[in-house]
Amino acid sequence: MKVPFLDLRAQHQSIQSEIFSLWEKIYQETAFVSGAFVRQFEREFAKACQVEHAVAVGNGTEALRLALVALGVKPGDEIIVPPNTFIATTEAIEQAGGKIVFVDIHPGTYNIDVNRIEEAVTPKTAGILPVHLYGQTADMDPILEIAEQHGLWVLEDASQAHLAEYKGRKAGSMGTAAAFSFYPGKNLGACGEAGAVTTNSPKLAQRVAMLRNHGQREKYIHELSGYNSRCDELQAAALSVKLKHLPKWNEMRRRCVQRYRQRLQNINGVKLPHVLDGALPVWHLFVIQVANRDAVAQSLQERGVGVGFHYPVALHLQGAYRWMGHDKGAFPVTEEYTQKLLSLPMFPEMDEEQIDYVCDALIELVRS
Ligand SMILES: *Cc1c(COP(=O)(O)O)cnc(C)c1O
């Protein structure tokens, strides 16, 4: 038996004709960029996220960057962010001119440790950028409270958490703004590249909409110096089709996790992710911790099980950030975690037989 880490084919076959008929229409009308499908998807996505505005952009990294620019980040502004995330989060901070300030993660949820944020706040702090990693939201209430006390904005990186919930609120609706990625492998993935910024602020939404299109509101009238980060119609049409199925697909992911938990919860040597009270994760990834991780991962792969490491090197120890001068041990929870984390196969269409195959192999390996 083979269990791939991710299988996009099953999902795309089921909606192929629906997407192709829309694409045919776009092709005939040759309206490829910034048209009716983009506007329709923006309305639908905002509604799904329980937020007033969604602005579709070129990809998730650009969604982060444009949101940061729209929030008014200027050189020297410090932005608090966890070191356990995909590098796009911190690239966007640098691109917007901000200064990265890492705060370690919580050992159970792997998201930013809210008890360590306050000690990182300085007079130069401008905002907090929590990442809803693997599909579970960060602990937003304490984050919003700290932000309120210190007059900071909060930008959610919701790239892995489409429609995840926290105490009844949707990811992307809680901060000052939020960024989403629709990279194909994400819970809501385009058939190419796309992203979006969500916000309840009409002013921020307007700014992002202008920034994505060379700072113009009217053609060739440039109120700002902006970027080219538009979403194309083919992607928007595909995303509208897929958004309708997303609640069901997220539910299927939760069922997969339920089975994983049944099988793995009492296994010595396996640590399962902790879910916050009131959180409803969407399990973009299912990441566990095991001792002797590298050997276990290799043996799983030899048995046909696709696995991943998200992420194998803490950001503060990456070559890209050597200049920041962080030594080993600077963020010990993240560093220890990078040695133990193991992402198991996870996609909505996985069946129980596949999950049991993964679990049987894993249980045998951690016992030997
Ligand atoms: C995927 C991802 C991004 C970047 O999105 P792209 O669409 O690939 O640019 C940013 N942050 C996180 C946490 C991600 O997982």
Side-chain angles (χ1 to χ4, degrees), residues 232-283:
D232 72 65
E233 291 282 284
L234 296 167
Q235 300 314 327
L239 286 166
S240 276
V241 170
K242 292 182 79 177
L243 181 58
K244 289 187 290 190
H245 299 277
L246 185 59
K248 173 187 72 199
W249 288 334
N250 281 342
E251 192 51 45
M252 288 160 79
R253 287 175 187 269
R254 283 194 278 266
R255 267 211 300 274
C256 294
V257 167
Q258 213 174 18
R259 183 65 185 169
Y260 269 131
R261 283 194 186 280
Q262 272 172 7
R263 294 293 319 276
L264 299 175
Q265 65 188 349
N266 293 318
I267 305 299
N268 265 336
V270 174
K271 191 174 167 207
L272 301 178
H274 173 74
V275 175
L276 289 173
D277 277 346
L280 186 64
V282 293
W283 303 112

Side-chain angles (χ1 to χ4, degrees), residues 2-181:
K2 272 205 179 349
V3 186
F5 181 66
L6 171 67
D7 181 2
L8 291 178
R9 203 161 294 153
Q11 185 167 102
H12 284 91
Q13 272 165 358
S14 72
I15 50 177
Q16 176 174 326
S17 60
E18 209 179 336
I19 291 180
F20 278 21
S21 72
L22 297 178
W23 282 359
E24 203 174 340
K25 208 168 137 193
I26 293 166
Y27 196 90
Q28 277 159 4
E29 291 174 8
T30 65
F32 293 116
V33 178
S34 309
F37 283 107
V38 169
R39 288 191 296 275
Q40 181 187 335
F41 173 67
E42 288 175 336
R43 278 194 305 275
E44 291 166 349
F45 191 63
K47 186 162 176 237
C49 296
Q50 297 171 353
V51 69
E52 291 294 320
H53 307 277
V55 182
V57 298
N59 57 60
T61 312
E62 287 286 288
L64 286 161
R65 170 159 75 152
L66 268 50
L68 289 165
V69 172
L71 284 162
V73 170
K74 51 185 191 314
D77 278 1
E78 294 180 359
I79 295 163
I80 291 170
V81 65
N84 179 42
T85 177
F86 181 55
I87 194 168
T89 318
T90 49
E91 284 173 329
I93 293 175
E94 287 186 283
Q95 289 165 6
K99 185 172 168 227
I100 300 162
V101 175
F102 288 122
V103 165
D104 212 348
I105 57 168
H106 182 274
T109 64
Y110 322 140
N111 279 328
I112 194 164
D113 186 345
V114 295
N115 295 314
R116 290 169 185 266
I117 292 177
E118 200 130 34
E119 65 203 43
V121 175
T122 76
K124 289 186 174 159
T125 307
I128 308 172
L129 207 175
V131 182
H132 305 323
L133 207 65
Y134 314 143
Q136 173 165 217
T137 54
D139 194 0
M140 288 302 288
D141 276 347
I143 293 173
L144 294 168
E145 202 176 302
I146 294 165
E148 170 95 40
Q149 264 165 25
H150 296 273
L152 312 174
W153 47 254
V154 176
L155 175 61
E156 303 168 60
D157 185 343
S159 296
Q160 301 189 3
H162 314 76
L163 306 191
E165 290 181 23
Y166 174 86
K167 302 183 183 175
R169 288 170 280 165
K170 288 275 200 286
S173 72
M174 296 176 275
T176 320
F180 286 87
S181 163

Side-chain angles (χ1 to χ4, degrees), residues 197-208:
V197 175
T198 55
T199 179
N200 283 314
S201 156
K203 204 172 120 221
L204 275 178
Q206 177 70 251
R207 275 183 85 81
V208 173

